[in-house]
Every structure is written in C-alpha cells, then in structure tokens.
Amino acid sequence: MANHKSALKRIRSNEKKRVLNRYQHKTTRNAVKALRLSIDKADASSKLSAVISMIDKLAKKNIIHDNKASNLKSKLTRHVAKL
C-alpha cells in the first residue's frame, strides 16, 4: 500500500482517468460499429465526420496509437465510399 500522501492522490487520479478513458474508447468503438453496419450512404457520410473526430481525440490523448487511428479512419472512409 502507498505510504505517501502524493502516492494516494496518484492512485485516485489514475483510477478516474482510467474510467474516463475506458468510457471514451468504448463509445468510439460503438460508433465505429454503427458506422460499419449502416447501409445508407447519406447516413454513413454524416456519421463519418463525427467518428473521425472521436478517433482523433483518442489518438491525441494516447488512448490509441496514431497509426491505429490512421488505419481506422482510412478503412472507414473506404467503406463509406464503397456504399
């Protein structure tokens, strides 16, 4: 167990950040899944910009790697273009 006041605070703040990161990551994964399942091109095009923004935010906060973000955006853009 932590012996210092600062270590106890670090444990609390790390837990808060972990919960927030998990929420944001899960929300983005659900949005990506919804985009992949959409069959209407107009609907998918409108969702695409929001999903790309969510992916960029995850990459900026280092929740996902920059290359993974690029790969996801590329695949989603090709998927929407194919519809």
Side-chain angles (χ1 to χ4, degrees), residues 9-10 17 19 28 34 36 48 50 52 56 60-61 74 81:
K9 181 178 178 180
R10 176 60 56 202
K17 289 176 189 174
V19 170
T28 304
R36 284 192 178 131
L48 181 63
I52 285 178
D56 284 336
K60 184 179 179 184
K61 294 179 180 180
S74 173

Side-chain angles (χ1 to χ4, degrees), residues 18-34:
R18 184 185 72 84
V19 170
L20 182 62
N21 287 342
R22 282 176 54 114
Y23 169 77
Q24 290 172 339
H25 197 181
K26 185 67 174 178
T27 304
T28 304
R29 284 198 306 257
N30 288 339
V32 167
K33 186 175 181 181

Side-chain angles (χ1 to χ4, degrees), residues 3-83:
N3 292 322
H4 297 284
K5 206 170 183 182
S6 61
L8 293 170
K9 181 178 178 180
R10 176 60 56 202
I11 290 169
R12 288 193 309 269
S13 64
N14 284 345
E15 179 62 19
K16 285 180 187 175
K17 289 176 189 174
R18 184 185 72 84
V19 170
L20 182 62
N21 287 342
R22 282 176 54 114
Y23 169 77
Q24 290 172 339
H25 197 181
K26 185 67 174 178
T27 304
T28 304
R29 284 198 306 257
N30 288 339
V32 167
K33 186 175 181 181
L35 179 62
R36 284 192 178 131
L37 292 175
S38 64
I39 53 175
D40 182 31
K41 186 174 177 88
D43 181 42
S45 297
S46 63
K47 285 182 183 177
L48 181 63
S49 61
V51 171
I52 285 178
S53 174
M54 293 168 83
I55 291 170
D56 284 336
K57 286 177 188 172
L58 290 183
K60 184 179 179 184
K61 294 179 180 180
N62 289 323
I63 297 172
I64 61 173
H65 196 273
D66 291 339
N67 291 349
K68 180 179 176 70
S70 295
N71 287 337
L72 272 173
K73 291 189 293 186
S74 173
K75 287 176 184 176
L76 290 173
T77 305
R78 282 189 291 163
H79 172 72
V80 171
K82 232 190 280 186
L83 292 177

